[in-house]
Amino acid sequence: MKTPAPAHTCSTMLVLLALLAALQATTTQKNDIDVYSLTVDSKVSSRFAHTVVTSRVVNRANTVKEATFQVELPKKAFITNFSMIIDGVTYPGNIKKKAAAQEQYSTAVAKGQSAGLVKATGRKMEQFQVSVSVAAAAKITFELVYEELLKRQLGVYELLLKVRPQQLVKHLQMDIHIFEPQGISFLETESTFMTKQLAEALTTSQNKTKAHIQFKPSLTQQQKSPGQQDTVLDGNFIVRYDVDRALSGGSIQIENGYFVHYFAPEGLPTMPKNVVFVIDKSGSMSGRKIQQTREALIKILDDLRPKDQFNLVVFSRASTQWKPSLVPASAKNVKEAKSYAASIQALGGTNINDAMMMAVELLDNSNRQELLPAGSVSLIILLTDGDPTEGETNPAKIQKNVREAIGGQYSLFCLGFGFDVSYTFLEKLALDNRGLARRIYEDSDSALQLQDFYQEVANPLLTGVNFEYLSNAVEKVTRENFPVLFKGSEMVVAGKLRDQSPDVLSAKVSGRVHKQNFTFQTESNVTEQEEGFQSPKYIFHNFMERLWAYLTIQQLLEQIISASAAERPALKNQALSLSLNYSFVTPLTSMVVTKPEGQEQSQVAEKPKEDAHTTSRVQTRGNGWLRLAGSSLANAHFAGRRGMAGPAGDSRRYMKIQTAQFHDLPPISPPTFHLQNFSNQTWESLPDLSLQTVTTAPIPASIQAPHVILPLPGQSVDRLCVDIRHSQGPMNLLLDPHQGVEVTGQLEKTQFSWIEVTFKNPQVRVRVSPEHVVVTRNQRSSAYKWKETLFSVMPGLKMTMDKTGLLLLSGPDKVTIGLLSWEGSGAGLRLLLRDTDCFSSHVSGTLGQFYQDVVWKPPEMEDNKRMLRVQGNDHLATRELKLDYQERPPGAEISCWSVEL
C-alpha cells in the first residue's frame, strides 16, 4: 500500500538540538560508577524548546569514586539551571554577573570546591561538564536545564539529542513533546545508532497540533550483543518538523501576557538578485580548501537563475574581477564563469579591503547606470580563510571602509573557512551590513557547507520588511524591521501586551516584492490564544515570556557587536539584566556550582566564544588536572581536545572513532535509523541480499567483480553480470517514470566515478562517489561517509546504510536499489537491484533495457555461450566466474551470465 506524502509546502524541518546526557564513565566494571537512570524531557512549545536532562548515579564500589556528568547542548541554547543532589543535599548552580562569579569562584577555590564547565565541541554543540566525588554506595542526581528558540533554516527546524551513556542504563527514556498551534505539517525522526531492536522502543504519536516522541529501550535492546555490557547507544537522535503555512501575515500566538509573531508566507515568487562572489585565493587556501571552494562555486553558479546577475572577484595580494561589470546568469555566462572558477589557484597574501572595495564598486557602477533590475536584491558573499595581511590590515579600519562604501544599500554575508580567520572580525563586518557570518568547517563536506549556505540566501522573497502593532496594545517589542526575507527562513517578533490591551491583537506586515509594495494584515484573539496554551502535558507555562527574553538577549548581543563604543555599555547592561532576571548563562554571565567540602578543584561555567574553539573555558587551581569518570587522572588540556589519548595507563576513549573491521561484522549489520510518523504503513524487513556461492576456496586474482549484477526477470538463481566498456560522459542507467526513479552514472577509466539516484516522490537525490554519500532533500544536502550507519524513513522511501557500507534505497511497491563502495578486487562503486518485478513496462536505460522484452536465443555454440536479444539488439552472454560484491571482501565466487556493453 502506498502512503501519500505529507502535505508540507515549505518542509520546515525543525532541528531541535537537544542532547542526552553522556556520563563519561567507561564501563560499570571498570569504575563501578553505575548510571541507573538517564532521562531527557524536551517540550517544544511554539518553536521554543525547554529541555531537562536528568541522570542518576550510584557508586557500587566500596571506596570513593569520581563521576563526571557531560551534556552536549546547542550553541544557541542558554543554560538556565543546574543542580546536584548528594546525600539529600541540593547543590545548585548560581548564575551571576561574570565579575561576581569570578569572586565566588575564587572563594570556592580556597575551600577546595568545584564547579561546572562549558566548552565548544563540534560544529553545533557545546559541552557542559561537572565532576564530583561519590562516596561508597552513595547516590547522586544531576539535572541540567537549557532553553532555545528553534531557528528555521532551509525550511527546517531541528532538535538534536546526543545519546552517549557509555554503559547500559536500567532506566533510559527520552520524551519529546511538540505543540504548534499552526498545525504540524511534517514530522520525522532520524538516528545514527538505531537498530531494529531499538526501533521497537521508539513510538511516535501525532495529531494536527501535537506530537509525542518517546524512546525507551530496555537493557536487552541497548546491548551490542547478547551477554555483553557494551551499549549500542552512541550517536545522534534528531527530530525535524514543519508547520502549516499560507500566504498571510503569519501567526500571532499569545500566552500569559506575552506574544510572538511568526512570519514566513507561502507562495511568494523569488526576486531576482545581483550577487558578487568575493573569493580568497591566498596561499593559505591551497590544497583541499581551494579545491572544495572551486567545487562549491561551480555548483553554486549552476544554481543561479536566468534573471540573476553576477560577477566574481578573486583576491590574494591583489584583486581581480572576472568581468568588467555584472552579467546576466545566461547559460553562456555561467559556463564561462564555471571554467574561470575551475582555474582559480591559491597563491599570495590576503588583501580583504581592496577586494571588498572592488565588489562594492561593481554594484555601485551597475546601480548608477541603472543596470540593476527594479525590484532586485543585491548581495555580496565573501569567503576567506585568514586575517588580512596585505594592504589595509587594521580590522577596525576595514570594517569602517566597508560600512561606509556599502552605505546600507547591499547585504554582506561573510564565510570564514577554518579557524585561522578571526570570526569576530567577520561577524561584525557582516552585521554592520545587514548580513550574517558563518563558519565553514574544514572537513570532507566543506563544499556542501558552502552550497547549503548559498541556498539559504539564494531565494529572496521580500525586502524592507516592517512589523507594525498598535502602540496602546504592546510594549517591549523585539526587532521590527528586517532587510530581506529568504525562502526557507522565518521572521520572529515578540513582545509584551499592555495591561489595557484590546481583546484582539492586530498586526500589519509590509514589504516589497519585485516592483510592488505588499501589506499583510493579521490578528489574533487574546482570550482564545491564552486558552490554547493551557495543556500542561505539552507546554511549560510562562514559556512565551522566556521566549521573549531569549530573543531580546540574542538581538542585544548582535547589536553590541556592531554598536559604537558609546552605545555599547547601555546595550550590555540591558542584556545582563535580562540574563540575570531569567537565569540564562550568556556571554555576560557565569554559573558557579558549589559542591561538598573537600573537592580538589574549582571551575566556572561560561558561554564559549566562537573563536575559542580549541580552548576550553577551564579554570583550575593547584595541580591543573581534571579527573574524568572514575579511576585515573587526565590532564585537563588533553581531556579537553578531541581525538587525544588520555594519560599513560588510561585506555579510555576520548573520541568516537568510527571504524569497521570486516571480520568483526555480520554480513549485514543493524543499520542506523531515521523514522517518520505516518499512519497505516508497515515496513517489511530489509530484503535478503544473500546469494548462493559456488565455492569458498581462495579466489584467483583474475576473477573480478562486474560493474553490475542484475537478477534476471522471473529467475531466482541466475544472474546477469554486466560490464560497461564503452561510455563517454554521464549515462542513463535506469529510468522508470511509473516508479518515479532515475539512476545515472559516469565511468572514468574502468570504474564509476559517481552514481546518482533521483526519486520523484519524495523528492530526494542520492549521489555517491568513492569518498562519500550525499543525500539532498529540500535543497539541503547531508554527507555521510561509507560505513557510517544511517536509517532514514520518509513517506514512500527508506534509506539504510550499515557498517559494511551497503546503502539501500527501498520502499513499498518500489524496486530496491543498492549502492556500495566495493573494496575488493576491482575496487570501485557498485550498483545492485532487488525487487525488480516492481519495474513498469516503461523502464529504460543502459541497465533498464534488460527488464523489457528479453529473449534468450537457443544455444548454437558451446554450452557456456548464449545470445541475448534486448530490444532488437543481440548481446553475447558468456558463462563466467565473477566476484559477488554483495558479499564482504574479498567477495564470493559466483557463476553468472556475463555481458559486455
Side-chain angles (χ1 to χ4, degrees):
M1 174 180 177
K2 291 184 178 179
T3 302
H8 66 286
T9 52
C10 284
S11 179
T12 307
M13 299 175 198
L14 159 74
V15 176
L16 172 61
L17 290 170
L19 50 74
L20 243 177
L23 236 91
Q24 189 71 15
T26 52
T27 63
T28 303
Q29 291 88 339
K30 285 186 180 180
N31 16 13
D32 301 306
I33 294 295
D34 182 16
V35 186
Y36 64 89
S37 177
L38 187 57
T39 63
V40 173
D41 184 76
S42 286
K43 289 182 172 63
V44 185
S45 304
S46 188
R47 282 78 139 181
F48 194 63
H50 173 90
T51 301
V52 181
V53 183
T54 307
S55 180
R56 293 179 171 85
V57 175
V58 61
N59 179 9
R60 302 197 183 280
N62 55 8
T63 58
V64 173
K65 294 289 180 178
E66 188 157 63
T68 299
F69 175 71
Q70 283 185 353
V71 170
E72 290 189 38
L73 62 153
K75 287 183 177 179
K76 290 294 185 181
F78 290 155
I79 292 173
T80 67
N81 189 38
F82 172 74
S83 64
M84 297 182 295
I85 302 175
I86 306 173
D87 294 332
V89 179
T90 299
Y91 297 87
N94 299 312
I95 297 175
K96 303 189 174 202
K97 184 179 178 180
K98 277 196 173 181
Q102 291 297 326
E103 182 180 346
Q104 184 172 344
Y105 162 74
S106 300
T107 303
V109 170
K111 294 181 179 180
Q113 297 172 351
S114 171
L117 162 71
V118 182
K119 63 181 180 181
T121 171
R123 301 179 185 179
K124 299 179 179 180
M125 309 296 279
E126 294 171 353
Q127 183 187 86
F128 173 88
Q129 173 179 297
V130 67
S131 300
V132 65
S133 297
V134 186
K139 293 182 178 180
I140 180 171
T141 298
F142 299 99
E143 183 177 278
L144 180 73
V145 183
Y146 65 88
E147 294 173 346
E148 178 192 20
L149 178 61
L150 300 172
K151 184 179 179 181
R152 190 172 185 240
Q153 287 182 297
L154 289 175
V156 37
Y157 307 98
E158 188 173 283
L159 167 63
L160 169 62
L161 304 169
K162 198 75 171 181
V163 185
R164 198 183 181 209
Q166 295 210 8
Q167 60 176 257
L168 302 179
V169 180
K170 185 177 180 180
H171 175 226
L172 193 154
Q173 182 171 334
M174 290 191 298
D175 285 282
I176 301 154
H177 294 274
I178 300 172
F179 176 50
E180 288 291 348
Q182 283 180 253
I184 300 171
S185 65
F186 172 79
L187 175 69
E188 68 179 19
T189 64
E190 177 179 342
S191 169
T192 59
F193 60 81
M194 197 74 69
T195 63
K196 289 181 182 179
Q197 292 74 27
L198 284 173
E200 297 172 1
L202 179 66
T203 59
T204 302
S205 58
Q206 178 188 350
N207 60 24
K208 180 173 176 55
T209 60
K210 299 175 182 178
H212 178 210
I213 301 157
Q214 184 178 80
F215 180 58
K216 191 178 180 180
S218 66
L219 284 170
T220 302
Q221 290 169 325
Q222 296 173 46
Q223 288 177 320
K224 276 189 176 180
S225 58
Q228 286 193 358
Q229 295 300 308
D230 291 336
T231 178
V232 72
L233 298 176
D234 188 354
N236 298 332
F237 185 87
I238 303 171
V239 179
R240 300 187 179 103
Y241 74 85
D242 191 14
V243 299
D244 292 325
R245 302 179 189 280
L247 183 59
S248 70
S251 172
I252 298 178
Q253 297 165 28
I254 303 168
E255 190 258 348
N256 200 34
Y258 285 80
F259 78 93
V260 63
H261 186 176
Y262 293 108
F263 181 71
E266 187 66 15
L268 289 175
T270 298
M271 300 173 67
K273 60 183 178 293
N274 317 296
V275 57
V276 180
F277 300 98
V278 184
I279 307 300
D280 184 349
K281 64 164 189 171
S282 60
S284 58
M285 286 284 290
S286 63
R288 189 166 71 162
K289 281 185 188 176
I290 200 68
Q291 177 185 346
Q292 291 174 322
T293 299
R294 290 194 298 256
E295 177 188 339
L297 192 53
I298 289 169
K299 179 65 174 64
I300 288 169
L301 291 169
D302 263 335
D303 289 338
L304 289 170
R305 298 172 179 268
K307 292 184 179 180
D308 294 338
Q309 293 190 110
F310 74 104
N311 205 339
L312 305 172
V313 172
V314 295
F315 72 95
S316 54
R317 179 175 294 107
S319 303
T320 305
Q321 56 192 42
W322 169 57
K323 294 286 187 182
S325 62
L326 269 67
V327 297
S330 63
K332 177 177 179 294
N333 286 335
V334 168
K335 183 178 180 181
E336 286 184 25
K338 287 165 63 179
S339 297
Y340 180 80
S343 68
I344 297 175
Q345 301 295 326
L347 182 68
T350 306
N351 191 334
I352 294 176
N353 187 80
D354 286 1
M356 287 303 304
M357 294 301 103
M358 181 177 287
V360 174
E361 186 63 22
L362 281 168
L363 288 170
D364 283 347
N365 286 341
S366 295
N367 202 6
R368 282 192 294 268
Q369 298 172 37
E370 298 183 351
L371 298 177
L372 300 182
S376 62
V377 178
S378 297
L379 313 173
I380 299 173
I381 299 177
L382 166 67
L383 171 67
T384 181
D385 78 327
D387 293 334
T389 61
E390 300 279 348
E392 179 59 66
T393 58
N394 184 323
K397 187 65 184 298
I398 295 172
Q399 290 162 345
K400 179 176 181 291
N401 292 344
V402 173
R403 182 174 62 252
E404 291 176 352
I406 289 179
Q409 299 181 85
Y410 321 122
S411 293
L412 170 61
F413 298 93
C414 299
L415 304 178
F417 205 145
F419 285 92
D420 291 331
V421 63
S422 168
Y423 186 83
T424 303
F425 163 66
L426 292 182
E427 186 176 34
K428 178 170 173 55
L429 197 63
L431 291 175
D432 281 351
N433 297 283
R434 310 191 313 171
L436 57 87
R438 180 73 53 82
R439 174 86 69 191
I440 301 298
Y441 294 84
E442 291 185 60
D443 209 334
S444 59
D445 69 339
S446 296
L448 288 177
Q449 295 177 55
L450 290 167
Q451 293 168 36
D452 278 354
F453 172 81
Y454 172 74
Q455 289 300 331
E456 290 184 45
V457 299
N459 299 291
L461 302 178
L462 201 63
T463 60
V465 185
N466 181 59
F467 291 74
E468 293 182 45
Y469 309 91
L470 293 176
S471 59
N472 67 337
V474 299
E475 60 182 341
K476 299 181 180 179
V477 180
T478 59
R479 181 179 178 183
E480 298 173 272
N481 301 285
F482 302 86
V484 188
L485 172 68
F486 293 102
K487 184 177 181 180
S489 67
E490 183 175 59
M491 291 177 174
V492 186
V493 179
K496 185 178 186 301
L497 300 181
R498 291 187 181 274
D499 293 338
Q500 303 300 323
S501 63
D503 295 335
V504 175
L505 177 61
S506 60
K508 182 171 72 172
V509 185
S510 58
R512 189 169 178 84
V513 179
H514 288 290
K515 304 174 185 179
Q516 299 180 338
N517 292 321
F518 261 64
T519 299
F520 301 90
Q521 299 277 357
T522 189
E523 61 182 27
S524 185
N525 186 286
V526 175
T527 303
E528 291 178 1
Q529 285 288 322
E530 293 275 12
E531 291 175 353
F533 287 101
Q534 296 305 311
S535 174
K537 183 177 181 181
Y538 277 87
I539 72 163
F540 56 102
H541 293 294
N542 298 327
F543 83 91
M544 196 77 75
E545 181 178 355
R546 298 191 64 80
L547 183 160
W548 164 81
Y550 173 94
L551 184 60
T552 303
I553 293 169
Q554 290 284 22
Q555 292 180 356
L556 286 169
L557 293 174
E558 286 190 358
Q559 291 176 42
I560 290 168
I561 293 172
S562 56
S564 66
E567 298 169 329
R568 206 167 293 137
L571 294 171
K572 279 188 175 182
N573 287 337
Q574 190 179 348
L576 173 62
S577 177
L578 286 171
S579 300
L580 294 174
N581 287 343
Y582 291 91
S583 296
F584 285 136
V585 176
T586 71
L588 303 175
T589 57
S590 300
M591 182 171 68
V592 177
V593 180
T594 55
K595 297 198 300 185
E597 296 280 343
Q599 299 295 324
E600 58 190 27
Q601 79 173 41
S602 183
Q603 303 158 349
V604 171
E606 296 180 354
K607 193 76 173 169
K609 295 181 180 179
E610 176 64 31
D611 277 328
H613 71 290
T614 58
T615 305
S616 304
R617 296 289 299 183
V618 186
Q619 297 180 337
T620 62
R621 295 294 188 272
N623 57 21
W625 291 86
L626 173 64
R627 186 183 296 274
L628 289 180
S631 48
S632 61
L633 290 174
N635 185 293
H637 173 74
F638 288 99
R641 297 174 68 91
R642 295 183 59 191
M644 293 217 174
D650 190 341
S651 61
R652 290 165 291 160
R653 294 181 302 164
Y654 289 86
M655 181 182 79
K656 177 187 174 187
I657 303 175
Q658 292 186 329
T659 58
Q661 300 295 329
F662 279 108
H663 59 271
D664 291 333
L665 295 170
I668 300 176
S669 62
T672 321
F673 213 65
H674 165 145
L675 282 179
Q676 169 154 354
N677 177 45
F678 45 91
S679 59
N680 301 322
Q681 182 165 347
T682 301
W683 291 98
E684 297 180 358
S685 59
L686 291 175
D688 182 6
L689 297 175
S690 60
L691 291 176
Q692 296 180 359
T693 60
V694 297
T695 178
T696 57
I699 298 169
S702 59
I703 300 178
Q704 298 284 311
H707 286 141
V708 185
I709 299 175
L710 299 177
L712 295 174
Q715 303 259 350
S716 59
V717 177
D718 257 346
R719 285 141 291 177
L720 193 66
C721 293
V722 179
D723 281 298
I724 302 170
R725 302 301 185 194
H726 307 287
S727 171
Q728 290 185 347
M731 70 182 88
N732 180 12
L733 299 174
L734 281 171
L735 176 62
D736 190 337
H738 284 231
Q739 284 270 305
V741 63
E742 180 180 15
V743 183
T744 55
Q746 182 166 330
L747 285 175
E748 286 186 7
K749 296 182 180 179
T750 61
Q751 300 297 337
F752 283 106
S753 59
W754 57 265
I755 299 174
E756 185 171 284
V757 184
T758 304
F759 294 95
K760 186 176 181 180
N761 188 17
Q763 293 185 355
V764 175
R765 184 174 73 247
V766 181
R767 184 183 180 97
V768 302
S769 66
E771 292 76 31
H772 53 224
V773 176
V774 177
V775 179
T776 302
R777 189 179 183 201
N778 301 318
Q779 299 180 320
R780 175 185 292 269
S781 297
S782 299
Y784 304 91
K785 297 177 182 177
W786 289 106
K787 302 179 185 177
E788 180 179 343
T789 51
L790 168 69
F791 199 124
S792 171
V793 178
M794 58 199 76
L797 180 65
K798 176 167 63 174
M799 295 186 293
T800 68
M801 182 163 60
D802 58 25
K803 291 291 187 180
T804 68
L806 177 62
L807 175 66
L808 292 176
L809 312 172
S810 61
D813 303 319
K814 275 188 168 68
V815 175
T816 296
I817 298 172
L819 298 162
L820 179 71
S821 183
W822 169 250
E823 296 176 341
S825 181
L829 296 174
R830 293 294 187 271
L831 175 71
L832 58 96
L833 300 174
R834 292 292 176 265
D835 307 315
T836 54
D837 290 342
C838 293
F839 276 130
S840 74
S841 59
H842 300 280
V843 64
S844 62
T846 303
L847 303 178
Q849 64 179 330
F850 291 100
Y851 295 95
Q852 288 285 1
D853 295 329
V854 177
V855 179
W856 288 92
K857 289 188 176 182
E860 297 179 356
M861 45 193 89
E862 304 99 311
D863 290 341
N864 67 339
K865 293 185 179 181
R866 298 279 296 274
M867 291 302 296
L868 183 63
R869 172 156 288 188
V870 182
Q871 295 184 330
N873 298 315
D874 289 342
H875 300 276
L876 176 63
T878 305
R879 197 73 180 178
E880 294 181 359
L881 294 179
K882 294 284 187 179
L883 278 185
D884 180 9
Y885 50 75
Q886 297 162 110
E887 299 288 334
R888 293 172 296 176
E893 187 178 326
I894 60 171
S895 175
C896 64
W897 290 104
S898 179
V899 173
E900 291 189 0
L901 301 178

